[in-house]
Amino acid sequence: MTKMKRRSALASLGSISLGISSKDFLLKEKEVPVNVYYSIKKQTLKTDILVIGGGTAGVIAAIQAGRAGKKTILVENVSQLGGTTTTGGVAYPGIFFAWGKQVISGIGWELVKEAVDLNDDVLPNFSIPHGKNHPRHQVRLNGQLYAMLIEEKCVQAGVHIRFYETPTKITPQKNGWLVETIGKGINTEIQCNQLIDCTGNAFATTLAGYPVLREEVTQPGSLMFQIGGYDFEKLDLNLIREKYQEEIKKGTLDKYEFRNNVIGLLKSRGDNISHVMGADSTTSESHTLANIKGRASLLNTVRFLRTLPNLEKLKIIDVQNETAVRETYRIDGHYQISHEDYVTGKMFDDAVSYSYYPIDLHDEKGIIPKHLNEGVVPTIPLRALVPKNSRNLIVAGRCVSSDRLANSALRVQASSMGMGQAAAAAAVLAHTHGTTPLEVPFGELKNLIESHGGIVPGLV
């Protein structure tokens, strides 16, 4: 992309003013009378495709739609893209390879590889089987670098990013949807033909009036952090265990917060060991509570650990801005992927993407992954991405129509990236043909996904 094209793309976001110095800003600010109130801006936008949710799936969906030539808007209610990978801090978006063969590629893999190269990181050797230790095939990313990179890719694809906005009402129209959003100082009406729900919570699907599914008890979330300031080899592990259990009995510590594994906490230095019970990102209230619980748990535990020998200088090196959430709502789709479908690698006739990950259900006791049998690679049908009785609406990511056990594996980032690309390709063709995602010619859908580097399942 030339500098001129890059500048034009940024200017189109309405967020860049070139050639204005800080002195000019100060002069203009002084010219505003103190008794003048600003008004809430109201506007109407039109687009071909609207993606709600700029997380793992939403970013890939938006880039796919933009690169396919469709006018695309991406609405995200926080300050950066990437969701679980970036804001949530789970910056290892695997797994892309199964049994020595790549099964998920396309736009997501392109971005992951570029982030690895830009940070001088090294990819795992995917030709060596991971056995029962699937993290061996995880790709570790610099999350904040990845956030900047995917934002750049969206801008280059012509995607109109709207941070700090959330939908409040979604109304069907004759040829699409009217989506009302609210953000900082602004109310917006967005008219779109195709709507892609990548909220993770099936929030847009609910606002559009379609039923969703949820478990009575959901998986715990995790606050990602890093601790340091100690030498693990010098620690008296038996003493630490003993003191930890004493505090649990007193009620000053909760055994569920770190899976009753204080040694694991110290050994991992905080790498994805936190459990925030009942973590729920559905509403601002519930997500606020999850964040407060996660941070309070960490702070309380750090204070305790610093009272122990050789841990007096333990410190928090880094902590994410919010608790990452594993499970809330799923759509009630035209097909619900079952646990049996997943673990047997059922090949659907409308499969649009692969998924590959162990069954990964977290609970108050922790997690023991249940690995797939050798050679099994699950697939995701287009029907599972479309809410029942809907038109011009498709989803991607963890809200895919599936039962709880299947969803515990489907929700991970690599498979969400594959779903995001497939969902957007279906929306692109639906807009082109004046139809709805389930009715697009499947051969064209396969070709479009593959032309952008994606892998569509097929019988070998």
Side-chain angles (χ1 to χ4, degrees):
M1 173 173 283
T2 65
K3 281 189 176 180
M4 185 59 68
K5 287 182 179 178
R6 163 76 173 166
R7 184 174 296 172
S8 299
L10 287 171
S12 70
L13 298 177
S15 60
I16 301 298
S17 298
L18 301 175
I20 301 177
S21 68
S22 57
K23 182 179 179 182
D24 293 326
F25 277 122
L26 291 173
L27 288 173
K28 288 178 180 291
E29 186 176 10
K30 289 179 180 179
E31 293 170 2
V32 179
V34 295
N35 63 342
V36 173
Y37 298 91
Y38 71 85
S39 60
I40 301 298
K41 181 180 178 181
K42 295 184 178 181
Q43 63 179 356
T44 299
L45 305 175
K46 293 184 178 181
T47 191
D48 301 329
I49 294 174
L50 172 61
V51 182
I52 300 179
T56 306
V59 164
I60 307 305
I63 295 172
Q64 172 66 90
R67 288 182 178 179
K70 299 301 181 182
K71 188 175 181 181
T72 305
I73 293 176
L74 174 58
V75 169
E76 169 53 51
N77 65 5
V78 298
S79 61
Q80 66 178 3
L81 302 175
T84 300
T85 315
T86 58
T87 308
V90 188
Y92 29 93
I95 298 175
F96 296 87
F97 287 74
W99 317 114
K101 180 181 179 181
Q102 186 161 14
V103 294
I104 301 171
S105 186
I107 295 170
W109 181 242
E110 168 200 327
L111 302 184
V112 166
K113 285 197 302 179
E114 189 163 338
V116 167
D117 290 342
L118 198 53
N119 207 52
D120 295 322
D121 294 324
V122 178
L123 291 171
N125 185 343
F126 299 112
S127 67
I128 300 175
H130 59 67
K132 299 295 183 181
N133 187 10
H134 61 282
R136 290 176 180 169
H137 280 195
Q138 289 281 17
V139 182
R140 294 276 177 166
L141 300 179
N142 179 325
Q144 297 313 307
L145 170 65
Y146 184 72
M148 291 186 283
L149 177 64
I150 59 181
E151 183 176 282
E152 177 187 63
K153 296 294 184 180
C154 281
V155 171
Q156 290 174 347
V159 176
H160 180 174
I161 303 171
R162 301 186 66 82
F163 288 127
Y164 303 114
E165 290 191 28
T166 191
T168 57
K169 186 177 181 180
I170 299 179
T171 308
Q173 293 190 309
K174 183 179 180 180
N175 192 34
W177 300 94
L178 177 65
V179 179
E180 299 177 35
T181 70
I182 189 167
K184 289 186 176 182
I186 192 165
N187 287 347
T188 307
E189 289 186 343
I190 305 175
Q191 297 175 359
C192 66
N193 171 241
Q194 300 293 325
L195 179 61
I196 307 178
D197 182 353
C198 295
T199 60
N201 301 323
F203 184 53
T205 300
T206 297
L207 284 181
Y210 299 99
V212 291
L213 310 171
R214 180 176 173 131
E215 304 301 319
E216 186 174 345
V217 177
T218 57
Q219 297 179 70
S222 290
L223 179 66
M224 300 293 289
F225 60 90
Q226 183 182 359
I227 54 175
Y230 60 93
D231 183 346
F232 184 79
E233 299 302 322
K234 293 182 179 180
L235 300 180
D236 185 337
L237 302 185
N238 290 328
L239 175 65
I240 293 171
R241 287 192 190 95
E242 178 184 332
K243 295 296 183 182
Y244 182 66
Q245 292 303 321
E246 287 178 5
E247 295 304 311
I248 288 174
K249 288 178 182 178
K250 291 178 187 177
T252 57
L253 294 178
D254 184 338
K255 68 179 181 179
Y256 296 126
E257 291 177 338
F258 295 101
R259 313 182 194 184
N260 200 24
N261 186 5
V262 67
I263 304 306
L265 165 62
L266 291 166
K267 189 173 184 179
S268 70
R269 299 181 182 271
D271 188 12
N272 200 13
I273 193 168
S274 157
H275 263 180
V276 182
M277 305 309 295
D280 184 353
S281 59
T282 305
T283 69
S284 57
E285 287 182 332
S286 64
H287 210 168
T288 296
L289 180 60
N291 291 336
I292 291 173
K293 287 175 67 176
R295 290 191 279 262
S297 166
L298 175 58
L299 186 58
N300 194 29
T301 303
V302 165
R303 285 190 175 122
F304 157 70
L305 290 172
R306 284 170 59 90
T307 68
L308 302 178
N310 293 317
L311 289 173
E312 296 89 348
K313 297 298 182 180
L314 181 145
K315 59 185 177 181
I316 296 174
I317 297 172
D318 191 23
V319 61
Q320 292 303 123
N321 294 332
E322 65 179 47
T323 295
V325 173
R326 290 183 172 86
E327 180 183 24
T328 54
Y329 289 93
R330 310 182 297 276
I331 68 165
D332 185 11
H334 283 263
Y335 186 86
Q336 184 180 98
I337 303 171
S338 70
H339 173 251
E340 180 70 12
D341 293 335
Y342 192 87
V343 299
T344 60
K346 181 175 180 178
M347 178 61 70
F348 296 95
D349 57 5
D350 62 339
V352 289
S353 183
Y354 283 112
S355 176
Y356 179 73
Y357 207 76
I359 298 298
D360 194 62
L361 192 69
H362 291 240
D363 59 23
E364 69 277 1
K365 297 178 182 178
I367 170 65
I368 301 177
K370 296 180 180 179
H371 290 266
L372 295 168
N373 291 331
E374 187 170 353
V376 170
V377 186
T379 69
I380 302 169
L382 181 64
R383 288 168 288 164
L385 303 180
V386 180
K388 287 179 182 175
N389 304 314
S390 69
R391 290 191 65 81
N392 304 327
L393 172 62
I394 192 167
V395 312
R398 76 165 188 252
C399 60
V400 57
S401 181
S402 49
D403 69 22
R404 192 185 193 201
L405 286 174
N407 192 264
S408 73
L410 288 164
R411 64 176 171 80
V412 300
Q413 295 167 50
S415 59
S416 291
M417 289 175 176
M419 283 187 264
Q421 184 163 352
V428 164
L429 292 175
H431 178 266
T432 298
H433 290 286
T435 185
T436 193
L438 270 186
E439 296 174 1
V440 301
F442 194 79
E444 287 187 38
L445 177 59
K446 181 177 185 292
N447 290 339
L448 179 57
I449 295 170
E450 291 179 342
S451 70
H452 289 267
I455 297 172
V456 178
L459 297 174
V460 179

